[in-house]
Amino acid sequence: MPKLLTSPFTAFEGQISVPGDKSISHRSIMLPALAVGESRIVGLLEGEDVLATADAMRAMGARVEKQADGSWSVWGVGVGGLTSPDKVLDFGNSGTSTRLLMGLIASHDITVMMTGDASLRSRPMSRVMNPLMSVGAQFVASEGGRLPVTEIGAKMPLPLDYTTPMASAQVKSAVLLAGLNTPGTTIVREAVSTRDHTERMLKAMGADITVEENGQGRTITLVGQPELQPISIIVPGDISSAAFILVAASIIPGADVMISHVGMNPLRTGIIAALQAMGADIDILNAKTVGGEEVADLHVRGAALKGISSLPVDPSTMIDEFPVLFCAAAVAEGESVFTGLEEMRVKESDRIAVMAAGLAANGVQVEELEDGLKVTGCGGKVPGGAEVATHLDHRIAMSFAVLGQMAVKPITIDDASPIQTSFPTFVSLMSDLGAGLSLQA
């Protein structure tokens, strides 16, 4: 369990790229596994979460291989072709793998046992299992709808017309993925638009899927049992990983960083708008579309941030980025108030409570709200000096590594190992830019 210790930065400048988008990487393995033929993926995130998805698809019959040139190939089994694995699927820390694959499995006549690490086993899965039971899947779950879970897919799956009760791309995607091997038409309605990587990739692979925008949100309609076509995918850099660099470069005086080829899906870029509202100096350059996804280069320089009382975007467009945004608010001048963040309590940890505890321990004045956090900024460096409990949450670990660059006394992160799930090169990349970080046994 290596600890991560922060120390004063020497600089923060350079041109970098961040690992491939985690959400797209998961889907780049899952969906081609249901095509017929070979799909090729360039830029796949090779973190532990995505590798867990690859292992699961292999166990259910797909062929997934890394090539000598660093790209990946997936040979699919066709829609309806998944088979029961001969082992328990261990998803480690990956809630995305678990929830999306529950959807895929729901409409296949197979039985799958699944588990994960202590963090994942503590996270509720009922929000996904409930609609999938209406498809016809059965679940034998641990207390509170948690892992370990045995899922028995439906022999005769039923299409759903489902309205999501919360803004969750994972719930939406699970229902759509169940609809792939379901006769008839599956409809998902969401009041708040959530990340749409599943819809984009299915359309690119030839599925009959339509998205209708209206004043009440979005309606996604999928015709079941398509013959998915193989696809070539270039995975853009993950905006959720870039967020740590964006915040670090925004709060460190004199910073000047260019981040290349970052995914700019409009349902994912709330962190940029939020930082700009706080006064961050971020330029969006060379915008283009690659493989159906918007990408751009981001040029960010150090700036004097101010607190904000309301967000310029819906929280769903940056739900994973709030931990590091709280750290930006801790360094900013004035008070920031963030609300509407109930979803943060059911992530890898209760991110509202864990961030509040870590910030308070390091001398930042915070008030935990039922659905968010109130942060009184220090107008510069924070006191620091405490050890932060990550609760096996990669984004907590990386957020406090960023905050530690602006701490008077070093901040210690109790366990750096969760960072491997999404951003394996985080420590080395930050160090190369000039951040002060060191791993300790």
Side-chain angles (χ1 to χ4, degrees), residues 1-6 354 358 362 386-394 396-398 400-401 411-419 438-441:
M1 193 169 78
K3 293 187 177 185
L4 185 59
L5 184 67
T6 70
V354 173
N362 283 284
E387 180 167 303
V388 173
T390 63
H391 297 268
L392 298 175
D393 192 326
H394 55 130
I396 301 297
M398 289 185 282
F400 281 101
I411 294 176
T412 302
I413 291 92
D414 71 341
D415 186 1
S417 57
I419 295 172
S438 59
L439 291 166
Q440 297 183 337

Side-chain angles (χ1 to χ4, degrees), residues 2-25:
K3 293 187 177 185
L4 185 59
L5 184 67
T6 70
S7 57
F9 62 88
T10 56
F12 204 73
E13 56 188 23
Q15 181 165 345
I16 62 162
S17 57
V18 293
D21 186 282
K22 186 154 75 83
S23 294
I24 296 174
S25 292

Side-chain angles (χ1 to χ4, degrees), residues 233-310:
I233 301 168
I234 300 175
V235 181
D238 196 327
I239 184 66
S240 295
S241 295
F244 298 102
I245 311 302
L246 289 172
V247 170
S250 294
I251 64 175
I252 293 175
D256 190 338
V257 177
M258 180 78 77
I259 314 173
S260 303
H261 195 71
V262 178
M264 294 292 288
N265 184 301
L267 297 173
R268 294 283 305 279
T269 53
I271 182 64
I272 296 174
L275 285 171
Q276 288 175 329
M278 296 174 73
D281 182 359
I282 302 172
D283 290 327
I284 300 170
L285 308 171
N286 304 319
K288 57 187 175 181
T289 299
V290 177
E293 292 281 354
E294 296 92 332
V295 300
D297 300 332
L298 301 176
H299 187 195
V300 54
R301 304 174 186 86
L305 302 186
K306 304 287 187 182
I308 53 174
S309 58
S310 62

Side-chain angles (χ1 to χ4, degrees), residues 52-212:
T53 293
D55 186 57
M57 300 317 299
R58 290 189 195 101
M60 291 188 286
R63 184 176 158 200
V64 183
E65 295 179 0
K66 184 176 181 179
Q67 304 300 323
D69 63 0
S71 66
W72 287 71
S73 291
V74 179
W75 288 266
V77 296
V79 171
L82 297 180
T83 57
S84 295
D86 58 7
K87 65 176 184 178
V88 176
L89 301 185
D90 187 340
F91 295 119
N93 192 242
S94 182
T96 302
S97 303
T98 310
R99 293 182 175 124
L100 268 60
L101 285 175
M102 281 182 172
L104 273 186
I105 293 162
S107 56
H108 285 74
D109 185 13
I110 61 177
T111 299
V112 180
M113 293 177 285
M114 55 191 80
T115 190
D117 67 11
S119 170
L120 187 58
R121 293 196 305 273
S122 72
R123 296 165 66 182
M125 297 294 161
S126 297
R127 58 172 53 192
V128 171
M129 293 191 291
N130 289 338
L132 296 180
M133 285 189 283
S134 298
V135 173
Q138 301 175 56
F139 296 90
V140 181
S142 300
E143 184 178 356
R146 292 172 166 81
L147 298 180
V149 166
T150 297
E151 180 175 3
I152 304 165
K155 294 181 184 293
M156 299 180 65
L158 302 172
L160 289 189
D161 186 331
Y162 184 70
T163 300
T164 57
M166 77 291 289
S168 172
Q170 291 182 354
V171 174
K172 172 185 68 176
S173 292
V175 174
L176 289 174
L177 294 177
L180 281 174
N181 195 40
T182 300
T185 301
T186 294
I187 300 171
V188 179
R189 307 174 194 273
E190 54 180 5
V192 176
S193 299
T194 60
R195 60 185 66 179
D196 60 351
H197 304 302
T198 299
E199 298 95 299
R200 289 177 182 236
M201 195 173 294
L202 282 173
K203 189 173 186 66
M205 295 178 72
D208 186 351
I209 184 168
T210 58
V211 179
E212 179 185 351

